[in-house]
Amino acid sequence: MRYALPPLFVVIGFTLGGFQAPGVQIEAIEAQVSYRFDEQVSFSVNVTTQNELHMGILFFQAEGETHTEVGLMQKLPAQGDRSYQLNYTHPIEAYRLPPFSWVEYWLELYFPDNIVIKSDVYRFYYRDNRFTWRSLEEKPFRVFWYEGDVQVAQSALDVAQNGSARIKEILPLPLPETVDIYLYAQLDPLLDVLGESGADWMAGHALPYNNVVLITVPEGPERQLWLSQRIPHELMHLVVAQYAGKRYEKLPVWLREGLASQAELYPNPDYQIVLHYAEDQDSILPMATLCTTFPREASTALLAYAQANSFTNFLVQNYGQRKLIDLMDMYLDGVACERALENVYGSSLTSLERRWRLMGLEDNFLLQRFFNVLPWFVLLLVVLSVPVGLTLHRLSALKT
């Protein structure tokens, strides 16, 4: 429950180490936290004091959040040594703590004569504890997994290292000092973690302010390909978020996702297919609509990702890396989506989009068509090489 602080109390803040407030002495505070992920968090505090304790109020806040939860703790009668037990259980449905984040909490203890003493600040790490996580580390990466052998974790580490090298080729920005990568064996538990922010088709997510990457890892031969796409994609989100700081949300969604898609070690082949189809059907999404949000419906979302990837690549290939960083800086300074593009590239978004569709999409389609016919071309060369080889052999025999 939420609780409004009573008036006319004096709050005394201190570090509990032999401190005595006027008329109040606290000998010890022992705090413990337990939780069932995505269900409830239980706080248990033992307060040893020779004074009568009226009540305790709990405050807790996730790092990076501005919201502070407040709860009135249940007080059990003092024991023989004047030890009070204070308990509070927070239902997650009342306020959902950000997953994989540090949570700070502290107490205000109320004594007679309007004396209120504030405790130290304690903290705990709130992560998904529904599974027994194993870990493997290769700095700056730590991989956590709960199903499968160690090879899946090592593969993830290798991809993370290769992905970080790829990211530096795109943007000369440093990685966070530590990155935690959690591998989920199934999609449903990951969607539970993401809550309302997750979509049914979403199989990877970055938590930028906690330097955490969450992905599902499918069984089968496609696993390596999947890791090579998802891990670098989410790592780019962390790199850009570290550069942007608290202004990260000012970056257009198409730029964030376009950069992340560029980082993938093996580009998603579906991007070219959906782009080609959308171009044929004249259903390309206006880039201006992708500044603030992406569609949640799977097929339209795939098109949005494909466009973001292609448009970002078009800007880099035609105007260079430096201008892309200038564009990021302008967005971080609060310039509007379309105005920033015009300031950096000297053209409106409409003009850039028209040029991208004329040049970028056409080049992509020609390249895709080349790769589509490449296996048949190779097969033709193999077939033709046999009679050609026999003919050359006969000519050589005649000469001898």
Side-chain angles (χ1 to χ4, degrees):
M1 65 178 288
R2 295 168 183 258
Y3 187 79
L5 297 183
L8 303 179
F9 275 79
V10 179
V11 178
I12 304 173
F14 68 97
T15 300
L16 293 172
F19 179 89
Q20 297 183 29
V24 174
Q25 178 180 358
I26 297 179
E27 298 173 10
I29 290 184
E30 298 177 0
Q32 293 182 334
V33 176
S34 61
Y35 62 86
R36 293 198 298 269
F37 183 78
D38 216 28
E39 294 184 26
Q40 66 180 35
V41 181
S42 298
F43 299 84
S44 179
V45 181
N46 218 17
V47 180
T48 303
T49 176
Q50 296 302 312
N51 303 89
E52 181 183 0
L53 176 62
H54 283 175
M55 64 180 175
I57 297 178
L58 175 75
F59 301 80
F60 59 99
Q61 180 184 74
E63 284 189 345
E65 296 276 297
T66 57
H67 176 79
T68 302
E69 276 287 295
V70 182
L72 175 63
M73 305 193 79
Q74 177 189 19
K75 184 188 72 172
L76 299 181
Q79 305 301 315
D81 59 354
R82 301 293 286 181
S83 179
Y84 293 89
Q85 184 74 34
L86 301 174
N87 298 312
Y88 178 74
T89 298
H90 168 70
I92 291 297
E93 62 184 13
Y95 166 63
R96 194 170 189 272
L97 289 171
F100 297 92
S101 63
W102 284 99
V103 179
E104 295 183 340
Y105 67 99
W106 61 96
L107 311 171
E108 287 187 356
L109 304 175
Y110 288 73
F111 294 90
D113 299 326
N114 293 343
I115 296 176
V116 182
I117 295 179
K118 182 178 178 180
S119 76
D120 285 338
V121 175
Y122 309 92
R123 67 203 303 252
F124 69 96
Y125 191 61
Y126 181 66
R127 76 169 181 174
D128 190 347
N129 63 355
R130 294 172 296 174
F131 307 100
T132 301
W133 296 97
R134 302 165 63 189
S135 64
L136 191 65
E137 181 175 358
E138 186 176 322
K139 292 183 178 180
F141 304 107
R142 295 185 300 190
V143 173
F144 298 85
W145 83 106
Y146 60 86
E147 190 171 301
D149 57 26
V150 71
Q151 183 57 49
V152 64
Q154 185 59 56
S155 296
L157 279 176
D158 294 342
V159 168
Q161 296 290 356
N162 293 331
S164 64
R166 166 68 177 157
I167 289 170
K168 289 179 180 178
E169 294 175 358
I170 302 170
L171 288 177
L173 301 176
L175 280 168
E177 291 184 1
T178 302
V179 176
D180 290 339
I181 302 171
Y182 286 83
L183 308 180
Y184 281 84
Q186 297 84 25
L187 177 60
D188 286 345
L190 173 59
L191 294 179
D192 292 339
V193 173
L194 300 181
E196 294 181 358
S197 64
D200 292 342
W201 46 265
M202 186 177 292
H205 191 68
L207 303 174
Y209 302 117
N210 305 324
N211 293 330
V212 170
V213 167
L214 311 173
I215 64 169
T216 54
V217 183
E219 291 286 345
E222 72 276 13
R223 170 182 286 175
Q224 190 63 33
L225 176 63
W226 187 256
L227 291 173
S228 298
Q229 289 176 344
R230 299 315 311 170
I231 290 180
H233 184 109
E234 306 304 339
L235 286 179
M236 177 62 93
H237 281 307
L238 299 188
V239 169
V240 173
Q242 179 176 256
Y243 179 74
K246 295 182 178 180
R247 302 175 296 169
Y248 178 66
E249 299 298 331
K250 292 185 177 181
L251 295 172
V253 179
W254 68 259
L255 181 57
R256 283 184 256 156
E257 296 301 340
L259 287 169
S261 296
Q262 288 287 298
E264 296 175 8
L265 297 180
Y266 295 103
N268 189 336
D270 293 337
Y271 286 170
Q272 298 303 325
I273 297 173
V274 298
L275 278 174
H276 194 182
Y277 179 80
E279 181 71 7
D280 286 345
Q281 299 297 313
D282 196 25
S283 58
I284 292 288
L285 303 171
M287 292 302 300
T289 65
L290 305 180
C291 287
T292 56
T293 186
F294 268 21
R296 290 183 65 86
E297 196 273 326
S299 61
T300 314
L302 181 62
L303 175 59
Y305 276 93
Q307 288 187 209
N309 174 64
S310 180
F311 188 67
T312 303
N313 183 64
F314 162 77
L315 294 178
V316 173
Q317 295 301 319
N318 288 276
Y319 300 99
Q321 182 188 75
R322 181 63 256 176
K323 278 190 176 294
L324 192 66
I325 296 177
D326 291 341
L327 180 65
M328 290 175 57
D329 291 338
M330 192 154 291
Y331 283 131
L332 296 178
D333 287 338
V335 180
C337 184
E338 297 187 48
R339 176 59 62 85
L341 282 161
E342 189 169 353
N343 290 348
V344 172
Y345 295 105
S347 299
S348 67
L349 175 56
T350 303
S351 298
L352 288 169
E353 188 172 354
R354 186 183 304 114
R355 187 179 179 195
W356 160 62
R357 293 183 66 170
L358 290 173
M359 298 178 58
L361 288 182
E362 182 180 353
D363 291 344
N364 287 335
F365 296 154
L366 290 175
L367 185 63
Q368 182 64 33
R369 292 189 182 103
F370 171 74
F371 283 119
N372 288 340
V373 302
L374 181 60
W376 300 103
F377 182 69
V378 172
L379 180 60
L380 178 63
L381 289 179
V382 172
V383 172
L384 292 177
S385 66
V386 175
V388 171
L390 290 174
T391 300
L392 293 176
H393 178 72
R394 288 170 183 166
L395 291 174
S396 176
L398 290 173
K399 291 180 180 179
T400 58

